[in-house]
Amino acid sequence: MNPDAWDSIKQLGWWANFGIEGVDMRPAITCFIGVLLCVALNRTTEYFTGTEYGPVKGCVKNCKTGHATNIIEGLAVGFESAVWTGIVLCVAIFASVMIYSNTNNAIFIAYGVAMCGIGMLTLTGNTISMDVFGPVADNANGIAEMGYETKVLGEAKYKEARQILADLDAVGNTTKAVTKGVAIGSAVIAAVSLFASFITVIGSGGQGETSRCRWPCSITWPAF
């Protein structure tokens, strides 16, 4: 091991090694940040798409007052959701950068952001399960629309069954939106990591990790 790297690990604070010399918990911490990011994106998307929360209720209310108010409310909710999602992503990226900020090395900082993305991938099973539920609920509602007859079920039973399936369809749409929020977040983290890798390659003159690149990297652009 590089002696400088070993000395750097031994000088880590208690938050990075839990008081055990030679232990480096920074990769695990950045992974945990990714897990928290995934949960935060789930909650943020659920708030803006769930039928029991204010944004959707506001859209429902404005649907009753006309097309113009409906469009304005929908745009406002969409822009607000994008702002809060951006804030959540920026906080996670900033936290991952700060974990490795004492290294003064762009490669390590990019590694911390990449580990944040790995942390998001630890919840892939949960995300795929929610992703599957959306189409199942949609198909159930569609089959019911084609198969139910008012004369056979009766007016009261027909309305009750349709309402149950409509609620199920709404939940399926929410879970589908939640998985899209996680996908967008993971794409942002991956893009930041790839861009940092690009800067590293350019700053090292194409030598990549074989050349030492201090933060911020000095980039020499080729002459065209």
Side-chain angles (χ1 to χ4, degrees):
M1 178 181 289
N2 190 335
D4 295 336
W6 177 249
D7 292 338
S8 176
I9 292 175
K10 290 194 296 184
Q11 294 174 3
L12 292 174
W14 63 269
W15 58 270
N17 57 16
F18 299 149
I20 303 175
E21 184 178 352
V23 174
D24 188 359
M25 294 296 295
R26 289 178 295 181
I29 294 173
T30 49
C31 272
F32 183 67
I33 292 174
V35 174
L36 295 180
L37 172 60
C38 192
V39 174
L41 289 174
N42 284 344
R43 296 303 181 186
T44 303
T45 309
E46 182 182 0
Y47 173 75
F48 284 101
T49 58
T51 56
E52 67 272 22
Y53 297 107
V56 173
K57 289 183 178 180
C59 290
V60 172
K61 181 179 178 181
N62 283 276
C63 284
K64 302 176 182 178
T65 58
H67 301 295
T69 54
N70 188 20
I71 293 172
I72 293 172
E73 178 72 14
L75 284 173
V77 171
F79 288 147
E80 184 182 359
S81 64
V83 169
W84 282 108
T85 302
I87 291 174
V88 171
L89 287 169
C90 289
V91 170
I93 293 173
F94 180 75
S96 301
V97 169
M98 292 304 296
I99 294 296
Y100 282 93
S101 61
N102 61 339
T103 60
N104 295 323
N105 193 311
I107 298 176
F108 289 149
I109 293 175
Y111 174 76
V113 177
M115 291 303 295
C116 178
I118 296 298
M120 293 187 67
L121 293 179
T122 59
L123 297 180
T124 301
N126 179 52
T127 303
I128 292 178
S129 298
M130 291 189 296
D131 194 30
V132 169
F133 182 76
V136 171
D138 289 339
N139 293 334
N141 194 19
I143 293 172
E145 288 180 357
M146 295 183 292
Y148 285 2
E149 293 186 7
T150 308
K151 295 179 180 180
V152 177
L153 291 176
E155 189 67 27
K157 287 291 184 180
Y158 178 77
K159 289 184 176 179
E160 180 183 357
R162 288 304 309 274
Q163 184 60 47
I164 292 173
L165 289 169
D167 295 338
L168 184 64
D169 186 28
V171 174
N173 291 333
T174 299
T175 56
K176 192 71 175 178
V178 168
T179 59
K180 286 182 172 62
V182 175
I184 292 171
S186 60
V188 170
I189 298 298
V192 171
S193 301
L194 289 174
F195 188 70
S197 177
F198 169 76
I199 292 177
T200 301
V201 172
I202 296 299
S204 62
Q207 299 180 18
E209 290 78 1
T210 59
S211 178
R212 194 172 182 82
C213 180
R214 291 292 183 179
W215 181 266
C217 290
S218 58
I219 301 177
T220 303
W221 296 102
F224 293 100

